Amino acid sequence: MSVNRTELVAAVAERSSLTKTQADAALSALQDVLVDSLSQGETVKVTGLLSVERVERAARTGRNPRTGEEIQIPAGYGVKISAGSALKKAVAQ
C-alpha cells in the first residue's frame, strides 16, 4: 500500500485547513526547493523528519549484463535520504 500525490495533497489539505489547490502548490514549492538546493550541493534538513543530501559517486568499472563486457561508469552524483528521529520512532511502533 502506498500514498500517491493526489492522496498526499488531499491529506495535507485536510490536516492543515488548506484547499487542495493550496496544498498542491505547497507540495510543488517543497519539491522545487529540494531540487534547487540539491542541485547546488546544499543539504536539506527537516528536523525530526528527514535529511536529504547530494553525494558524489566515484567512477567505477561495471559489467554489461547482456554481454558480460566490462564498461566504465563515469563519476557522478546521487541522493542520500536519512530518516529523522520522529520518523524512525513512528515506523518502529
Side-chain angles (χ1 to χ4, degrees):
M1 186 171 163
S2 65
V3 176
N4 64 29
R5 183 182 177 100
T6 304
E7 295 167 340
L8 180 60
V9 166
V12 169
E14 183 179 323
R15 291 183 185 202
S16 65
S17 301
L18 296 173
T19 65
K20 287 183 182 179
T21 303
Q22 291 170 327
D24 188 51
L27 188 57
S28 292
L30 175 63
Q31 180 179 331
D32 292 343
V33 169
L34 277 172
V35 170
D36 291 345
S37 296
L38 291 173
S39 68
Q40 295 173 15
E42 298 173 346
T43 299
V44 178
K45 294 182 182 182
V46 181
T47 303
L49 184 63
L50 57 85
S51 174
V52 184
E53 64 182 304
R54 181 172 84 168
V55 293
E56 285 190 54
R57 291 192 179 157
R60 61 194 187 279
T61 302
R63 190 167 298 277
N64 182 330
R66 190 171 283 177
T67 64
E69 176 186 3
E70 283 192 356
I71 57 172
Q72 293 300 314
I73 302 169
Y77 296 99
V79 176
K80 177 182 174 186
I81 301 174
S82 302
S85 59
L87 187 57
K88 288 178 183 178
K89 184 177 177 183
V91 171
Q93 294 178 351

